[in-house]
Amino acid sequence: MSVSSVEMNDTSFDGTVVAAFGNSTTTLFGPLHDHAAASIVMRVPSSFERTTTTTTTTSSTTTSTNDLPTMRHFLAAGVASAVASAAFNPLDCLRVRWQLQSSSTTETSIIAFGRRIVREEGLAQGLWRPGVGANMIGMGVASSLRFGYYETIRNSLASSNTTNNKQKKKESWHMVVAGLVCGASAYFVTTPFHLMKTRLQAEAPRPFATNVWQGMIRIVAQTGQLSSLYKGSVPLSLRGSFFTAGQMIGYDGVKTIAKEQYGVQDGPLLHAMSSVSASFFASFFSAPADYVMARYMLNDSSSSVGECIRMIYKEGGVRAFWKGWSVFFVRLTPVLLTYSSVYEQLRYKLGLGYMN
């Protein structure tokens, strides 16, 4: 409001205070003094209502755009995953080499198999260096996409499943669907790096290339097709979708239950508990696709994914698809413990708060 005019008249005893809104006036109170009257006219700018409406609309828009991922979301997830992948690459390399060991190998346990590698090739040369660069890049980019868009998709599903009288609340199927979508798309995009990681690890200590870029160039030169870098993208995308769905239902789901039903405070202890749960579900859900992917990527023949699946089933039945699952779980648990701790703290430091 603004005061358009103030009129004082010493000779008038009938003064009133008048407020004018638009084209109408309202008497607010009567005579001010026995010897003076005041007529104060206050007019509301015609843009007042439009300003109020605009402000409300802007506030609503801001709330919606807050659900969209920012560069900080991608950075926190990507850096955390690259750090965890570099630190635990020896366990990942051991798993791949154990899954794809030749029939002439005499070791009956993965521990004995790992000891022989360290004894003959050394820890760095035999288990840490193979595929570490490809692993860091592939997992870093994949995690930035998976975790960057996960909350946006999950919240969108929760919003579409609510009414005007019911506050949106995330449910288990929101987490699973969001994990499936984010995992499949992220792993498809990063297929070339996962292909290189698997080949460099499986062919250690004498791989066909010294680094990820040289390996990609050689594969394209040998086949003459850029699409050859996406060999195994179907099982890898399936593996990524099941892995991410299991990881999210295990991590996000456990955090939600612990906070809402048991009053557990969001912090490092809850992050550690949720990480173990995420490791279990992620490894169990994705173990079959992971094994099929590893076998298919290293098969130089033109056999299809279906033929690869039939071959695995013929060798050991249904249980054969979970070969190395326990190793996968043991290997994955410290990785997710490290990843989740670093990721949550980076989010906090970047002003995003803990994953909610």
Side-chain angles (χ1 to χ4, degrees):
M1 294 183 182
S2 62
V3 178
S4 60
S5 64
V6 179
E7 300 175 359
M8 300 296 296
N9 187 352
D10 291 337
T11 62
S12 174
F13 297 91
D14 194 25
T16 57
V17 177
V18 181
F21 295 87
N23 297 323
S24 62
T25 59
T26 302
T27 301
L28 298 182
F29 49 86
L32 294 175
H33 196 272
D34 291 341
H35 301 287
S39 176
I40 304 176
V41 181
M42 293 175 290
R43 297 188 181 277
V44 181
S46 59
S47 61
F48 180 77
E49 292 184 0
R50 292 197 299 269
T51 304
T52 304
T53 303
T54 304
T55 303
T56 304
T57 304
T58 304
S59 176
S60 177
T61 304
T62 303
T63 302
S64 300
T65 55
N66 284 341
D67 287 338
L68 297 176
T70 65
M71 186 58 66
R72 291 176 297 169
H73 290 86
F74 299 126
L75 181 64
V79 171
S81 185
V83 170
S85 298
F88 295 99
N89 190 67
L91 290 177
D92 187 43
C93 183
L94 177 62
R95 175 186 63 87
V96 171
R97 296 186 65 173
W98 169 251
Q99 285 181 329
L100 304 174
Q101 63 177 318
S102 62
S103 58
S104 60
T105 303
T106 58
E107 287 81 12
T108 57
S109 69
I110 190 172
I111 296 178
F113 182 68
R115 286 176 178 174
R116 180 175 66 81
I117 292 177
V118 173
R119 183 176 62 253
E120 296 179 356
E121 304 172 16
L123 177 61
Q125 189 67 22
L127 294 177
W128 188 77
R129 289 184 60 185
V132 64
N135 199 7
M136 291 177 65
I137 298 173
M139 291 305 300
V141 175
S143 293
S144 67
L145 295 175
R146 292 189 302 127
F147 278 79
Y149 286 106
Y150 167 74
E151 290 176 277
T152 300
I153 297 177
R154 181 202 64 190
N155 294 343
S156 297
L157 292 172
S159 299
S160 64
N161 195 41
T162 58
T163 61
N164 295 330
N165 298 325
K166 182 180 179 182
Q167 185 178 6
K168 69 177 183 180
K169 182 178 180 181
K170 61 182 179 181
E171 300 178 1
S172 298
W173 74 268
H174 300 148
M175 305 175 194
V176 172
V177 173
L180 290 172
V181 173
C182 293
S185 56
Y187 275 85
F188 177 81
V189 171
T190 55
T191 295
F193 296 102
H194 293 286
L195 171 65
M196 291 307 308
K197 177 196 77 75
T198 303
R199 289 201 58 172
L200 292 173
Q201 289 177 343
E203 298 177 9
R206 292 176 292 276
F208 76 108
T210 58
N211 58 68
V212 58
W213 309 113
Q214 184 186 71
M216 288 184 180
I217 293 173
R218 289 187 175 181
I219 290 177
V220 174
Q222 290 173 1
T223 61
Q225 295 179 342
L226 188 62
S227 60
S228 60
L229 293 176
Y230 282 86
K231 180 179 181 180
S233 60
V234 173
L236 178 62
S237 298
L238 288 175
R239 185 257 190 190
S241 63
F242 291 133
F243 180 93
T244 307
Q247 182 181 8
M248 296 309 181
I249 194 65
Y251 190 78
D252 193 10
V254 167
K255 280 189 65 175
T256 302
I257 294 174
K259 290 191 297 182
E260 294 182 356
Q261 298 186 14
Y262 298 97
V264 179
Q265 185 177 4
D266 199 348
L269 179 59
L270 180 57
H271 302 159
M273 294 168 51
S274 303
S275 296
V276 176
S277 173
S279 177
F280 175 82
F281 285 103
S283 58
F284 185 80
F285 284 8
S286 63
D290 186 69
Y291 186 40
V292 172
M293 175 200 67
R295 286 281 295 266
Y296 181 71
M297 281 185 168
L298 291 174
N299 189 354
D300 293 330
S301 65
S302 58
S303 62
S304 65
V305 175
E307 292 177 355
C308 184
I309 293 175
R310 286 192 292 270
M311 186 181 300
I312 295 174
Y313 181 79
K314 185 177 180 181
E315 292 175 357
V318 176
R319 293 183 60 183
F321 291 95
W322 273 268
K323 180 180 181 181
W325 170 76
S326 59
V327 178
F328 189 16
F329 171 67
V330 172
R331 192 272 303 180
L332 185 61
T333 300
V335 174
L336 291 189
L337 280 169
T338 303
Y339 169 78
S340 300
S341 299
V342 176
Y343 172 64
E344 293 279 20
Q345 294 307 314
L346 282 176
R347 283 181 59 105
Y348 188 81
K349 295 296 183 183
L350 291 173
L352 299 172
Y354 293 140
M355 179 178 173
N356 184 15

